[in-house]
Amino acid sequence: MIKILQFGEGNFLRTFADAYFDTLNKEGAGEYEVHIVKPIPGGSLEKFVKQNNAYHIVLRGVKNGKETEEIYKIDAVKSAFSPFDECPKYLALARDCEVKLVVSNTTEAGICFSESDKFEDFETATYPAKLTKWLYERYRAGLGGVYILPVELIENNADELFRCVEKYVALWRLPEAFRKWNAEQNFYCNTLVDRIVSGYPRDEETRNRVWQLIGETDELVSVGEPFGLWAIEKKGGIENYVKEGAHNVEVVLTNDINYYKKRKVRVLNGSHTNLVAAGLMLGKETVYDCMKDERLSAFVTDTLEKEIIPFVSEDVAATTAFAHSVTERFLNPYLNHRLISIALNSISKWRARVLPSFKDYYAAHGKIAPKIAVGFSYLIALYYTKHGELKDEAKYLECFAMKQPLEKIMQNAEMWGEDLTAYAGFYETVKENTERIIEGEVLI
């Protein structure tokens, strides 16, 4: 038996990690039990009690060009409880030698350190503080360590979690032997996760449709897309507890987690960011709307093929296959990817997601990437003409509201991370493109 302590009862973990462990059980690849712990007070676990922790997920999307809806009943969750009400149960899991994995999803803000946290506090303590107390109980019981797999979407999530735990060890003046035990016997594995989960269907029509598909009323049902990837840093003997391969979610154990992050950021997120402004300027509302438009669809695939994929990895075939899955996901009619939502903080997103591909193309060819330049031009035009409708840092929006000259905006290193006019021909191209876009010309 392999038991998992899971911090978080939300839709994502239940449609992703728990679906993976449940699939392993049903494939006979292991015997897994998930024990869910609420990381924060408030809310109710009544639905888990009512349904004896069982629920369904519905994966709706496109596979091999065809729309699909797949139903899975998830039975791997054996308990879901509040440690604020049942602290002895929480600590008992620390003393359980069958607990081998700790999984968490406490939002990006969840992995943090607070000097005001006290060892005797629990309700107001951060997630890393709660984990430290749990690990200390395990250490005192004389047990070995566990594999810790945070899925929070922050840079090097496990490394950051380890740093927070180390700080609590110091803050609370816990024994040096415990600090050493934590560093040597627990394996903090950085991860990258990728599955879009829309969760519980809020509108009555979709909810009734989903309930009809599964054949019963399910108040814990969660909807997601078929695609799922869980890249996990390979440490210790993790392969004894986490199985690679496609088990509802594709799991990869790797020594190079950065490759998977780079691939996702550049191919998936970069494509989104390069498309969103053009889509909005052409009157589209969702990513699906864009992909059903021949011009915009071709713009996405051409940019990927010529200006992004060649610079992600030497394994171009693997990146191309991932890019194909991305465009298929963009065509998912069940996912309501609103462009205006994706446009949130587009300036910092362009800097992190698109600029690296632009720079690699420039270094390789000695000239600017034409499709990325067009996408950037639409972004500039969007900010000049619709800045009042966009959400971004006020100081950036003010530059466009004040009609600062384009050259000054592109030279703003705080905005873009560097002076973009340093790339030969980029300013001139964007200036011409932007003027044409604002006049109503379509450059796609």
Side-chain angles (χ1 to χ4, degrees):
M1 173 69 68
I2 298 172
K3 295 181 181 179
I4 299 102
L5 176 68
Q6 177 173 302
F7 287 87
E9 76 280 19
N11 290 317
F12 181 79
L13 281 180
R14 292 192 298 106
T15 315
F16 185 81
D18 299 344
Y20 164 71
F21 294 122
D22 187 81
T23 301
L24 290 176
N25 284 343
K26 287 168 180 168
E27 291 175 345
E31 191 177 356
Y32 293 84
E33 280 189 6
V34 177
H35 296 269
I36 294 177
V37 174
K38 277 180 62 62
I40 57 175
S44 170
L45 294 171
E46 182 181 345
K47 294 174 183 176
F48 288 88
V49 175
K50 182 179 178 181
Q51 298 185 189
N52 197 27
N53 302 309
Y55 61 94
H56 297 80
I57 65 170
V58 180
L59 304 184
R60 313 172 83 195
V62 177
K63 273 190 174 182
N64 301 319
K66 295 182 180 180
E67 294 181 13
T68 179
E69 293 178 303
E70 300 171 331
I71 303 161
Y72 300 88
K73 186 179 181 183
I74 309 302
D75 301 300
V77 177
K78 297 305 176 184
S79 69
F81 65 95
S82 167
F84 313 101
D85 302 324
E86 300 181 78
C87 192
K89 188 173 183 178
Y90 176 69
L91 296 177
L93 283 169
R95 299 187 295 269
D96 189 335
C97 63
E98 291 185 315
V99 176
K100 301 297 183 183
L101 304 172
V102 175
V103 177
S104 67
N105 188 23
T106 58
T107 79
E108 291 89 325
I111 297 181
C112 61
F113 170 78
S114 173
E115 289 188 355
S116 63
D117 285 341
K118 294 181 172 57
F119 184 81
E120 58 271 19
D121 291 342
F122 195 80
E123 190 163 310
T124 58
T126 66
Y127 160 55
K130 293 182 177 72
L131 177 63
T132 303
K133 291 187 68 170
W134 188 88
L135 291 170
Y136 187 56
E137 183 72 17
R138 191 172 183 86
Y139 159 78
R140 292 178 62 203
L143 296 180
V146 291
Y147 290 84
I148 299 170
L149 313 176
V151 306
E152 288 85 350
L153 296 174
I154 63 172
E155 187 85 14
N156 298 319
N157 45 21
D159 293 344
E160 185 58 33
L161 180 56
F162 174 74
R163 280 191 286 271
C164 289
V165 171
E166 287 265 283
K167 288 180 180 179
Y168 282 112
V169 172
L171 178 69
W172 295 336
R173 298 179 180 177
L174 298 177
E176 171 62 20
F178 169 62
R179 188 200 65 75
K180 185 177 180 182
W181 175 88
N182 178 54
E184 295 179 355
Q185 295 202 36
N186 293 303
F187 295 93
Y188 290 76
C189 304
N190 293 307
T191 73
L192 180 139
V193 296
D194 191 1
R195 169 171 276 173
I196 297 167
V197 173
S198 55
Y200 184 76
R202 296 298 174 183
D203 65 282
E204 186 177 358
E205 181 181 352
T206 304
R207 188 163 56 248
N208 288 336
R209 162 70 176 159
V210 166
W211 285 349
Q212 184 179 21
L213 280 174
I214 63 179
E216 62 181 276
T217 298
D218 183 346
E219 296 180 10
L220 288 172
V221 68
S222 182
V223 179
E225 65 170 339
F227 181 89
L229 172 69
W230 196 357
I232 301 172
E233 188 176 20
K234 190 172 185 179
K235 288 185 175 181
I238 192 170
E239 66 277 3
N240 296 318
Y241 308 106
V242 175
K243 309 300 181 184
E244 287 194 279
H247 308 281
N248 192 292
V249 171
E250 178 79 27
V251 169
V252 177
L253 300 178
T254 177
N255 294 317
D256 186 13
I257 197 78
N258 289 326
Y259 160 69
Y260 292 92
K261 177 188 175 185
K262 181 180 179 180
R263 189 177 74 172
K264 179 175 183 282
V265 168
R266 293 204 185 190
V267 175
L268 174 63
N269 304 125
S271 292
H272 263 159
T273 302
N274 198 54
L275 168 69
V276 66
L280 286 169
M281 293 295 286
L282 294 179
K284 307 299 181 184
E285 292 188 7
T286 67
V287 172
Y288 179 73
D289 293 337
C290 292
M291 295 303 290
K292 296 302 287 185
D293 182 296
E294 289 185 6
R295 297 171 302 177
L296 288 167
S297 177
F299 177 66
V300 170
T301 54
D302 287 349
T303 307
L304 278 168
E305 181 183 338
K306 298 169 184 173
E307 302 178 15
I308 297 177
I309 290 173
F311 308 104
V312 172
S313 165
E314 292 181 0
D315 192 345
V316 175
T319 307
T320 300
F322 178 72
H324 175 73
S325 74
V326 164
T327 55
E328 196 170 63
R329 293 164 72 189
F330 287 177
L331 277 164
N332 189 340
Y334 300 113
L335 295 176
N336 188 26
H337 273 183
R338 298 186 68 239
L339 296 176
I340 196 64
S341 298
I342 300 170
L344 173 70
N345 295 327
S346 280
I347 288 174
S348 62
K349 285 178 178 176
W350 190 91
R351 184 173 66 234
R353 301 172 174 184
V354 184
L355 180 58
S357 294
F358 175 89
K359 293 171 69 171
D360 283 349
Y361 184 98
Y362 188 88
H365 298 285
K367 58 183 180 180
I368 63 173
K371 299 293 183 182
I372 291 178
V374 168
F376 182 77
S377 300
Y378 270 101
L379 181 66
I380 293 295
L382 181 72
Y383 270 67
Y384 267 131
T385 59
K386 300 182 185 294
H387 50 81
E389 304 169 28
L390 302 174
K391 293 183 179 181
D392 210 319
E393 291 195 45
K395 58 186 176 182
Y396 298 157
L397 292 172
E398 186 178 357
C399 293
F400 290 95
M402 294 173 59
K403 302 294 182 185
Q404 276 190 5
L406 175 62
E407 186 173 19
K408 186 174 181 180
I409 285 176
M410 290 183 65
Q411 288 174 336
N412 189 334
E414 182 183 2
M415 187 180 290
W416 308 110
E418 58 185 277
D419 178 359
L420 296 182
T421 65
Y423 297 95
F426 194 29
Y427 163 68
E428 293 78 9
T429 298
V430 173
K431 185 175 186 297
E432 180 184 347
N433 286 349
T434 303
E435 290 171 354
R436 292 166 64 190
I437 291 167
I438 292 175
E439 288 172 3
E441 191 173 340
V442 177
L443 303 188
I444 302 296

